[in-house]
Amino acid sequence: QKDKSIKTSDDKPEYVKEMLENRKARMRKIILTSVIFIVVILFSTMFAIVNKNSTTFLKGIHLHGVDISGMTMNEARECFNEMLSVELMPELTYTHGDYTVTILPEQIEFKYDLEDSLKEAYEIGRNGNIIQNNYSIIINSLFGKKQEMSYTYNEELLKSIVEDINSKLPGVVVEPSYYIEGEELHITKGVDGLAVRKDELKTSTLIELRKIAES
């Protein structure tokens, strides 16, 4: 009597076994990837909800050189109101030899746009979708976010002050001129001298007005 052996799964050809193993490996990767994806989504959603319900500025947020992390809007507003009142008090003085001129912030209607700057800083990590918000939160927490405060000023008043400085500066350039008297043409020769670099003076004035006053 002939022996009849019973075939088992181990009797499958090698290529079939390899194919099944590859399929199992792919399934394990798909399942693992799905689990990770679901966990990330859940974590991101919870992270975004917690941050959205928070009433304080994100960690790492600096406005005008001040760390406002963890402050509420009112706390930050109070802090800046006090600081900016001191910052804008000092006079800005320029000298050239015996010539001295003083510029005050109110002379050019210089003022910080505090409310818009605070709102812009507060919206960081809140004004995008979940992925964008979480990215902002993590990046700002790790590396910080420095934001300058916006400001306004009267360009015409500043230009007028600079023109006045340029005209009163000792040794200033005198441009050639002429006038007619009767039938005679009178010409006045120009004089070489100093001239204010107007754009540079305007820029430096604004920079100085933005600096935080030393306590």
Side-chain angles (χ1 to χ4, degrees):
Q1 187 178 358
K2 296 181 178 180
D3 293 333
K4 294 183 179 179
S5 58
I6 301 175
K7 291 186 178 182
T8 64
S9 59
D10 292 336
D11 296 326
K12 294 177 181 178
E14 287 299 322
Y15 76 90
V16 175
K17 293 180 181 180
E18 185 177 351
M19 183 179 64
L20 292 174
E21 285 299 322
N22 290 338
R23 183 180 298 173
K24 290 179 181 178
R26 285 197 301 271
M27 288 300 299
R28 285 194 293 266
K29 288 181 180 179
I30 292 173
I31 293 172
L32 179 60
T33 301
S34 300
V35 170
I36 293 174
F37 179 76
I38 293 172
V39 170
V40 169
I41 291 297
L42 290 175
F43 175 78
S44 297
T45 302
M46 292 175 61
F47 198 50
I49 291 174
V50 169
N51 176 67
K52 189 174 182 179
N53 293 332
S54 172
T55 58
T56 60
F57 290 91
L58 290 181
K59 181 181 178 182
I61 300 296
H62 292 73
L63 178 61
H64 201 61
V66 178
D67 185 357
I68 57 176
S69 304
M71 289 187 185
T72 63
M73 184 69 78
N74 286 334
E75 289 172 341
R77 184 181 294 112
E78 184 178 346
C79 170
F80 281 110
N81 280 332
E82 181 178 349
M83 184 192 74
L84 294 179
S85 64
V86 175
E87 180 176 345
L88 293 180
M89 281 176 58
E91 299 176 346
L92 185 59
T93 301
Y94 292 111
T95 60
H96 179 77
D98 295 331
Y99 177 76
T100 301
V101 62
T102 299
I103 301 175
L104 298 175
E106 53 264 32
Q107 286 181 280
I108 61 171
E109 299 176 357
F110 182 97
K111 58 183 177 180
Y112 288 105
D113 196 343
L114 178 58
E115 289 303 316
D116 282 350
S117 297
L118 286 175
K119 289 177 182 177
E120 185 178 346
Y122 187 79
E123 286 300 312
I124 296 175
R126 293 182 170 93
N127 57 356
N129 56 43
I130 290 178
I131 296 175
Q132 292 171 330
N133 289 343
N134 289 337
Y135 177 80
S136 293
I137 294 169
I138 294 171
I139 293 298
N140 292 329
S141 297
L142 293 175
F143 304 105
K145 171 74 173 180
K146 294 182 179 179
Q147 182 173 317
E148 291 298 329
M149 191 176 298
S150 57
Y151 62 92
T152 59
Y153 69 97
N154 190 314
E155 171 71 26
E156 290 303 316
L157 289 178
L158 178 56
K159 181 179 178 180
S160 176
I161 290 174
V162 171
E163 293 287 354
D164 186 61
I165 293 174
N166 187 58
S167 65
K168 293 180 179 178
L169 188 68
V172 71
V173 173
V174 177
E175 299 292 342
S177 62
Y178 70 91
Y179 67 95
I180 298 175
E181 185 176 357
E183 295 181 354
E184 294 185 3
L185 173 63
H186 297 268
I187 299 175
T188 302
K189 185 179 179 181
V191 178
D192 293 334
L194 301 174
V196 173
R197 294 180 179 177
K198 299 175 185 179
D199 289 339
E200 291 184 15
L201 180 56
K202 288 194 291 184
T203 301
S204 65
T205 298
L206 294 174
I207 291 174
E208 290 298 322
L209 288 175
R210 291 179 59 191
K211 287 183 178 179
I212 299 177
E214 296 182 359
S215 56

